[in-house]
Amino acid sequence: MKRYLLLLVIVCCVSHTLCGQTEDTKSKKKRKKNQERIAMAILKHRFSFKAGLFNERLVDETFSGILFQGVLPKYTLGYKHKKLRIELQSSTPNLDKTNIDFDNTFFPSTLLDAHLKIGLSKTFELDFTYGAKLNLGGQLHSQLMVLNYDNFDSGSWLTAQRLDVTARLEKHLRTRKEQWVHLDVSYPLFALASRPAYAGIDNFLVENSDDILKILYSRNDFYSGIGLVNPELTLTYFYKPVNYHDYTTFAEKLMLHLSLHYEYLYINSVKPLSRNSFGIELGLTYLWFK
Amino acid sequence: MKKSIILTFTASLLLMMACLKNKELVEDTPTSIFEYVWNDFDQHYGGFEQRNVDWDAVYTQFAPRVNDNISDIELWNVLTEMMDLLDDQHVAITDTKTGKGFASGKLNDELLAEREFDLELIKTSYLAEDYQTLDSDGEDFVYGTIEGENIGYIHFPNFEEDVWQLEFDNVIAELSTTDGLIVDDRNNGGGIPLSARFASGRFAQTKELAFNVQSKNGPGPNDFDEKSPYYMEPQGAQQYTKPIVALCNHSTVSAGEEFLLYLKTQEHIQIVGDSTSNALATPTFKRMLPNAWHYQLPTQLYTVADGSSPEGIGIVPDVYLRNDTLNVQAGLDEVLEFGVELLK
């Protein structure tokens, strides 16, 4: 985690250096020309991939009364077309391999964390945002979280099918190179979620011990308001290393990005779960023009 | 503008870091651990009434011995003595640093009962030479016939899923020509309830209610969910419905006891031996403590058709008979011999 914080600082410094250069008349003309070229092309699809490390801290009262923490690698695939946005994020899906060693305890455990988000949003241009655009919308959000200690000697889970409201503030930075900053916020309106029963293991689990999907996706309860608190905040910096020219080379269709992600999750089930997640991600986006 | 972006990044980073706090329910102090464990049992354990244990009185008895200055050993002694009052092998605690473990009710009669049974003695002195062995989680599932008699013999060491299950219908078919069957459930260490049901169904003649299970669904002593009924009913390609004598002892535990609850419903099955361990309810997930100990407790309640519960008593045999440890060492299994006589 320390290495990534250091990397963040370096990237911030680099961006500061880039941003700090004085734009002369020549570069202004060049930029204007680029903008004209961009206007001629229509962005059809965006494909993205992100990889990051997330510092996870959680207390799941079904799993344990003690705090678990560890660093979890996550991978995200994204697709965007007009107002539609699809995002699939997961830590490793194989529970047999330890993907998170909680380092403050004697109980090395695994955490599988996966999300599928399908969102729609509408763009507004607002005067008070200094040229930034505001996107408002919603997303269907399917979440799967499974905690496992020692081949389920202890375990817990959260599966949720949610409707979230989303907002994005995006700002195009006017410099020699194309740069953007996005601030994404989301919050759940309601969810149908499945959590372990009061006693952790009950008859339903014993009877369905060979049908993990039935355990994870049956017996849903409705959560909303203070029963489900899950603000997510993502700050992303996009940088385009090669300016648009004629939209033919691979390099000019690529964007690099760096994201900071913070999420707090509290679900007030019969045994509450609270989780803090802070992550840093690096990624690539491929732009597909018509 | 540019500076403000960097400031936003930095401020966001600091804000996020500052927010990373979660509240632990138990701290690494003897007092906190004792309170956490006592409360956990108070709110989740399913069989206090059936075991005649007043858990509030237990608190009064043990809490004065706990303060933040006591040693690990003293805390271990308090917790294990407290748990031992429940006489329930599904109540257990382990120190993961040293591997030291404790199971309630195991120290005295359970260990003694284990010595009242010797599978090697049965193989060498009682079974015909062509007996077969299958694997069951590293232990021997043994079947064959009693030497000189047309009586079959099966020993279930546990009810874990393994090779024996794949072959079990063939075992029943092989033994179908015998006149009677010894089903030896002694020293059965338990396993998966589904496996116990799988095996018992091969001995079923009629469908009967075997028992009901309820799980705790709230902190109150009577907060249980609806009864889930479990039935003994014929399963498998064929069933063995000739006379059966099932043998049990005080080391017949958990799924081994559940197996007997199924067998007890059938007219053609007699149970001979000692009362069982009385650890029926499935233990819940292990609870982890900040001092690297973990423990488990059962959160269910078993009742039979008349509303009574085998918790605290175990499965009571139709004929009470125990082996003498010294006789076993001398090569005699009186319980098995009695079972064979019943089948003759």
Side-chain angles (χ1 to χ4, degrees):
Chain A
M1 179 54 76
K2 281 178 184 171
R3 272 185 292 171
Y4 276 82
L5 292 177
L6 185 63
L7 183 61
L8 170 72
V9 172
I10 292 166
V11 171
C12 288
C13 292
V14 169
S15 69
H16 179 262
T17 310
L18 287 169
C19 296
Q21 290 173 356
T22 311
E23 291 186 79
D24 55 18
T25 316
K26 195 178 173 185
S27 64
K28 277 180 182 171
K29 281 181 183 173
K30 201 173 176 182
R31 180 169 54 78
K32 195 177 175 186
K33 207 173 177 182
N34 276 338
Q35 295 298 320
E36 286 167 2
R37 286 199 187 103
I38 294 165
M40 284 160 59
I42 298 170
L43 183 60
K44 191 79 176 168
H45 310 281
R46 282 172 182 242
F47 300 93
S48 62
F49 172 75
K50 286 190 285 187
L53 291 175
F54 285 69
N55 184 41
E56 303 283 353
R57 294 165 61 92
L58 65 90
V59 175
D60 182 331
E61 292 186 25
T62 298
F63 189 66
S64 173
I66 56 178
L67 172 69
F68 278 75
Q69 66 177 9
V71 176
L72 184 69
K74 288 186 190 176
Y75 311 94
T76 307
L77 287 173
Y79 170 74
K80 193 170 184 302
H81 173 67
K82 294 182 179 172
K83 296 174 180 176
L84 174 69
R85 177 176 51 81
I86 300 173
E87 200 169 276
L88 177 64
Q89 182 185 58
S90 181
S91 57
T92 169
N94 188 350
L95 277 179
D96 293 334
K97 290 180 182 169
T98 300
N99 50 32
I100 181 165
D101 280 314
F102 290 107
D103 53 9
N104 68 331
T105 75
F106 295 88
F107 308 108
S109 305
T110 65
L111 172 65
L112 170 68
D113 187 39
H115 302 260
L116 174 64
K117 298 172 183 175
I118 301 173
L120 286 171
S121 60
K122 184 169 182 180
T123 305
F124 300 90
E125 298 209 29
L126 303 171
D127 290 341
F128 64 85
T129 55
Y130 302 99
K133 290 177 185 171
L134 179 67
N135 292 275
L136 293 176
Q139 66 184 13
L140 294 172
H141 181 171
S142 181
Q143 180 174 13
L144 167 67
M145 192 191 100
V146 180
L147 275 160
N148 173 18
Y149 165 64
D150 199 14
N151 199 22
F152 288 104
D153 264 357
S154 185
S156 184
W157 71 86
L158 165 67
T159 60
Q161 317 311 318
R162 306 164 27 171
L163 179 64
D164 300 342
V165 287
T166 60
R168 166 180 289 176
L169 200 59
E170 57 182 68
K171 173 73 179 164
H172 186 189
L173 306 179
R174 308 288 179 186
T175 59
R176 284 201 313 165
K177 296 284 184 183
E178 299 291 343
Q179 295 175 90
W180 294 262
V181 172
H182 289 184
L183 177 64
D184 287 281
V185 181
S186 75
Y187 196 85
L189 287 177
F190 60 83
L192 280 174
S194 172
R195 291 272 297 146
Y198 175 81
I201 289 177
D202 65 354
N203 238 28
F204 179 79
L205 254 74
V206 173
E207 286 303 303
N208 296 290
S209 55
D210 54 354
D211 189 349
I212 186 83
L213 290 179
K214 190 171 179 183
I215 290 171
L216 291 176
Y217 288 100
S218 300
R219 302 202 294 184
N220 289 296
D221 291 314
F222 183 82
Y223 292 91
S224 65
I226 57 168
L228 174 65
V229 179
N230 187 201
E232 286 188 56
L233 181 72
T234 309
L235 188 64
T236 308
Y237 165 73
F238 291 90
Y239 174 68
K240 200 167 178 315
V242 179
N243 279 343
Y244 297 113
H245 181 62
D246 56 6
Y247 315 105
T248 53
T249 65
F250 185 74
E252 66 180 308
K253 294 176 183 174
L254 282 182
M255 281 198 298
L256 304 173
H257 40 93
L258 171 74
S259 300
L260 295 176
H261 180 91
Y262 174 72
E263 174 184 352
Y264 175 75
L265 170 65
Y266 174 76
I267 185 153
N268 190 19
S269 52
V270 64
K271 291 294 171 72
L273 158 72
S274 69
R275 172 182 172 186
N276 269 294
S277 176
F278 168 66
I280 183 162
E281 297 173 290
L282 284 169
L284 279 174
T285 292
Y286 178 73
L287 307 168
W288 182 322
F289 290 95
K290 190 176 178 182
Chain B
M1 179 65 191
K2 288 88 186 178
K3 282 181 184 172
S4 67
I5 292 164
I6 296 162
L7 281 172
T8 310
F9 258 100
T10 312
S12 303
L13 180 68
L14 292 173
L15 176 69
M16 291 165 185
M17 298 290 282
C19 292
L20 298 179
K21 284 184 179 166
N22 298 78
K23 192 186 172 197
E24 291 188 279
L25 303 180
V26 53
E27 293 166 10
D28 192 6
T29 64
T31 310
S32 178
I33 289 170
F34 172 80
E35 294 286 338
Y36 181 77
V37 173
W38 184 89
N39 275 303
D40 194 9
F41 275 80
D42 187 50
Q43 293 173 16
H44 295 93
Y45 188 71
F48 288 126
E49 187 184 326
Q50 290 68 28
R51 290 169 191 276
N52 293 316
V53 174
D54 179 346
W55 199 242
D56 290 329
V58 169
Y59 183 88
T60 309
Q61 181 185 345
F62 287 95
R65 289 171 55 184
V66 180
N67 60 63
D68 285 347
N69 298 318
I70 64 172
S71 67
D72 268 8
I73 293 169
E74 287 169 307
L75 179 62
W76 176 268
N77 289 340
V78 166
L79 294 181
T80 54
E81 285 174 36
M82 189 169 82
M83 291 175 179
D84 206 28
L85 295 173
L86 295 166
D87 187 22
D88 182 342
Q89 272 204 51
H90 281 162
V91 172
I93 185 166
T94 303
D95 180 345
T96 62
K97 285 182 291 191
T98 63
K100 181 171 63 173
F102 169 86
S104 171
K106 178 83 178 169
L107 279 177
N108 302 315
D109 45 356
E110 302 288 347
L111 291 175
L112 187 66
E114 274 179 20
R115 293 198 289 271
E116 294 171 10
F117 173 79
D118 185 351
L119 186 59
E120 288 306 312
L121 169 65
I122 293 169
K123 286 180 189 172
T124 53
S125 302
Y126 289 95
L127 295 185
E129 283 185 359
D130 60 349
Y131 73 83
Q132 301 288 316
T133 300
L134 298 172
D135 195 45
S136 183
D137 197 36
E139 294 187 277
D140 284 351
F141 170 95
V142 176
Y143 71 98
T145 53
I146 300 292
E147 178 71 41
E149 307 287 348
N150 190 27
I151 294 172
Y153 176 88
I154 299 174
H155 172 64
F156 293 96
N158 56 54
F159 281 110
E160 300 297 345
E161 286 177 326
D162 212 327
V163 179
W164 72 270
Q165 268 195 352
L166 302 172
E167 296 293 326
F168 197 54
D169 281 330
N170 294 333
V171 172
I172 296 296
E174 276 187 49
L175 297 174
S176 64
T177 56
T178 57
D179 298 328
L181 182 64
I182 297 284
V183 173
D184 198 343
D185 198 31
R186 290 176 294 176
N187 284 26
N188 186 316
I192 301 165
L194 293 171
S195 295
R197 199 185 317 159
F198 167 91
S200 64
R202 271 70 182 173
F203 305 117
Q205 204 165 26
T206 55
K207 181 177 176 178
E208 306 286 347
L209 174 67
F211 55 89
N212 296 297
V213 180
Q214 292 170 276
S215 301
K216 286 280 285 180
N217 65 355
N222 298 313
D223 290 339
F224 288 96
D225 62 9
E226 292 293 309
K227 285 180 179 175
S228 297
Y230 286 84
Y231 293 91
M232 169 71 152
E233 55 188 324
Q235 286 188 48
Q238 75 180 95
Q239 296 80 42
Y240 193 99
T241 55
K242 293 174 189 172
I244 293 173
V245 170
L247 309 180
C248 57
N249 65 7
H250 209 58
S251 275
T252 303
V253 185
S254 189
E257 296 178 88
E258 200 166 309
F259 178 64
L260 291 175
L261 282 177
Y262 287 115
L263 299 190
K264 255 180 114 61
T265 63
Q266 301 294 302
E267 292 286 334
H268 66 291
I269 301 175
Q270 270 190 292
I271 298 176
V272 173
D274 191 4
S275 61
T276 59
S277 168
N278 83 77
L280 284 142
T282 305
T284 191
F285 292 131
K286 287 195 171 119
R287 318 294 224 225
M288 293 167 264
L289 294 170
N291 61 349
W293 298 352
H294 63 57
Y295 66 96
Q296 64 177 40
L297 70 161
T299 57
Q300 294 179 316
L301 179 62
Y302 277 56
T303 51
V304 292
D306 66 4
S308 65
S309 173
E311 304 272 359
I313 304 164
I315 313 303
V316 179
D318 300 315
V319 179
Y320 180 81
L321 189 64
R322 278 179 73 173
N323 272 336
D324 184 281
T325 309
L326 292 176
N327 282 346
V328 172
Q329 286 170 3
L332 192 64
D333 189 331
E334 292 167 291
V335 176
L336 175 61
E337 288 184 10
F338 182 83
V340 171
E341 286 302 316
L342 279 178
L343 291 171
K344 275 185 183 175

